Amino acid sequence: MGLPEHIDEWVKDNRSQLLEFLSELVRTPSVVSPPLAGELECQRIVEAAYRRSGSEVDVFSPSEVPGLREHPLYFDTWDGAPRPLEDRPDVVGVFRGAGGGRSLLLSTHVDTVPMGSQPWREADPFSGEVKDGKLYGRGSWDTKWGIAVGLFAVRCLREIGAPLRGDVILESVVDEEYGGSHGVLASRLRGYNVDFAINSEPTSMTVAPAHRGGGEWRITVRGDAGMAFGDRRLANSVYKLARVVDAIREFDVERNRDPRPPRFFESDPELPSYTMQVGGGGDSYADASGIPHECYLIAWIEEYPGTDREEHTRRFTGFVNSYLERDPGFDGVYPEYTPTIRYLPGSSVDPSHPFFGALESAFRGAGREYRLGAAPFAADTYVFNLHSPTPAVTLGPGGGNAHAADEHVLVEDVVDLVRIYARVVLGWCG
Ligand SMILES: [Zn+2]
């Protein structure tokens, strides 16, 4: 029996242990819900699992890593409030090779968004329950599977006695959701830079050399408050906000009229703009005694790789302002634009890099279709590609309902990714 058959047999024998570990991670909340963040308990489980598997373990808080606070990506607020970085440790596990081989890093963010306000119908948000080939729970797809898959792929190779020359590094990082990036950045600044990295995100088995980015904005408009009682005509901030909504809708239509997607985005060329929240005038009936002095909305505007913060800001706010220029209600006073998080650029990596050859043979060896494409969402992969010497690809299993009720990951994809990652580590680092 050759090594590939040993891999498959080991994965078969350890399948229930793999799912149980992923389920344990899902059952242990690591929710980020501004202004609070709580990855600590889940990271303790990851730390213990890395230690049990015989890796050198490094646990550190991003805030204590030299250079983080001075880094151009450092952005210590979310929507203007302080973003906590204490008690949110990154966990890194290093498996040393015999020497002389290429190194690989498997990076996964452990934090999740909250359970949300919609009802969960299929399973409890923190159950980790398996039903009809799906493992349910917050973080199951986005992205705790990556912690389990990385660990089991390396354990598999060690337990079947596969010889590795290069180092394999696993990392479970904090502070990805709500545009964090500090967890993955801190690990780069601490020196965990290798020949290639896979960043875990839910790509439905598409190998993504490119991913989108975007900017998130709080847009505020102001006017008069109260009621006029006949003395004058009031400037109404609600009407102004409605015009801003119109402007964003027009921006969305206009820029997608003739899309010129870069490579890998051809099959999904549209750039979405999401108006995610609107507000003003309080939220109790008692507040509804006149028009509100100010209204706001929060919008997330996606961009292709290659668009930087300045270009994004100029294009988006420029379009909205010129749309409002024609509106007498604004009278030359434009909305106030405040970024809620740092701009998250898209990024891409050269698909002719030899790592893609290793990935392709791993997919084929595991009997899965090898498909290159783009990740149609923002991801911290850009931190690798634009701010570190380590190139990275985005990859993950199929599933559904990320950031929504009934989030789940496909069990077969998770199991196959262990078979694929074990093969890719062997091919790349062996
Ligand atoms: Zn997410």
Side-chain angles (χ1 to χ4, degrees):
M1 199 155 69
L3 281 175
E5 291 76 25
H6 279 296
I7 291 174
D8 292 340
E9 196 178 77
W10 188 95
V11 173
K12 210 176 188 179
D13 292 345
N14 289 275
R15 178 191 165 101
S16 54
Q17 211 193 108
L18 164 72
L19 297 180
E20 176 45 37
F21 181 58
L22 175 52
S23 177
E24 184 186 8
L25 295 176
V26 172
R27 287 196 305 268
T28 312
S30 50
V31 172
V32 171
S33 181
L36 303 173
E39 297 104 330
L40 187 61
E41 194 188 347
C42 201
Q43 288 292 64
R44 293 279 178 246
I45 292 173
V46 178
E47 181 190 349
Y50 283 1
R51 286 196 196 284
R52 273 198 307 276
S53 62
S55 66
E56 294 165 24
V57 179
D58 186 12
V59 180
F60 54 91
S61 162
S63 58
E64 76 199 23
V65 172
L68 188 91
R69 287 174 199 277
E70 297 74 33
H71 197 278
L73 288 181
Y74 184 65
F75 197 98
D76 63 348
T77 56
W78 36 28
D79 195 24
R83 176 188 280 267
L85 288 174
E86 305 303 323
D87 295 323
R88 306 181 69 186
D90 278 358
V91 182
V92 176
V94 180
F95 297 85
R96 297 252 175 248
R102 294 174 293 196
S103 52
L104 181 66
L105 174 94
L106 303 172
S107 180
T108 305
H109 73 84
V110 70
D111 57 321
T112 74
V113 296
M115 58 181 277
S117 51
Q118 289 172 290
W120 286 60
R121 298 187 195 283
E122 295 298 332
D124 181 86
F126 301 106
S127 65
E129 192 184 331
V130 176
K131 243 167 78 175
D132 303 326
K134 299 166 180 167
L135 192 150
Y136 283 89
R138 178 59 80 231
S140 57
W141 195 32
D142 180 15
T143 53
K144 293 182 175 181
W145 63 268
I147 300 168
V149 163
L151 181 63
F152 275 69
V154 181
R155 273 190 49 201
C156 166
L157 294 174
R158 288 168 75 91
E159 289 174 27
I160 65 172
L164 293 182
R165 291 185 298 144
D167 297 343
V168 187
I169 302 179
L170 307 179
E171 67 180 23
S172 171
V173 300
V174 297
D175 195 40
E176 189 270 353
E177 298 292 353
Y178 302 96
S181 303
H182 295 110
V184 78
L185 174 64
S187 191
R188 308 289 70 72
L189 295 176
R190 198 157 168 99
Y192 295 110
N193 298 304
V194 293
D195 293 318
F196 210 91
I198 299 177
N199 187 32
S200 310
E201 285 292 352
T203 68
S204 301
M205 301 302 273
T206 295
V207 173
H211 67 93
R212 286 204 293 246
E216 194 180 84
W217 297 92
R218 172 180 278 264
I219 304 178
T220 307
V221 289
R222 298 195 176 83
D224 298 316
M227 286 187 181
F229 290 101
D231 61 346
R232 64 200 169 99
R233 195 172 171 80
L234 302 179
N236 190 331
S237 63
V238 179
Y239 294 167
K240 287 187 181 181
L241 192 75
R243 299 297 288 151
V244 176
V245 173
D246 286 342
I248 294 173
R249 192 173 55 189
E250 192 57 27
F251 174 77
D252 195 22
V253 170
E254 206 44 58
R255 72 171 177 161
N256 284 311
R257 216 183 281 287
D258 179 24
R260 279 157 216 225
R263 189 169 174 204
F264 300 118
F265 290 88
E266 297 89 347
S267 61
D268 187 9
E270 292 219 345
L271 284 173
S273 301
Y274 301 100
T275 300
M276 302 188 296
Q277 191 176 73
V278 294
D283 50 18
S284 77
Y285 177 61
D287 296 322
S289 61
I291 57 170
H293 162 60
E294 72 175 42
C295 288
Y296 76 93
L297 62 79
I298 294 179
W300 164 246
I301 312 295
E302 296 204 351
E303 299 285 3
Y304 296 130
T307 302
D308 65 13
R309 182 172 59 89
E310 288 72 23
E311 188 182 352
H312 162 74
T313 303
R314 194 169 55 243
R315 255 197 252 157
F316 175 61
T317 64
F319 184 96
V320 174
N321 284 347
S322 71
Y323 186 91
L324 300 175
E325 216 160 59
R326 291 170 260 149
D327 194 306
F330 278 84
D331 223 2
V333 181
Y334 294 120
E336 183 181 292
Y337 300 89
T338 314
T340 48
I341 55 175
R342 98 167 55 65
Y343 177 70
L344 301 171
S347 80
S348 57
V349 64
D350 180 3
S352 65
H353 190 287
F355 183 73
F356 288 93
L359 258 181
E360 183 169 2
S361 1
F363 267 78
R364 296 202 194 290
R368 295 289 305 234
E369 186 198 351
Y370 178 73
R371 201 171 56 228
L372 284 177
F377 46 78
D380 275 353
T381 319
Y382 82 91
V383 178
F384 289 98
N385 288 329
L386 303 179
H387 296 276
S388 92
T390 303
V393 66
T394 312
L395 175 59
N401 299 3
H403 292 216
D406 293 330
E407 177 181 346
H408 58 271
V409 66
L410 301 184
V411 166
E412 269 341 290
D413 283 1
V414 170
V415 173
D416 280 350
L417 279 172
V418 178
R419 298 170 57 234
I420 291 168
Y421 282 21
R423 283 171 163 84
V424 88
V425 169
L426 194 58
W428 183 251
C429 313

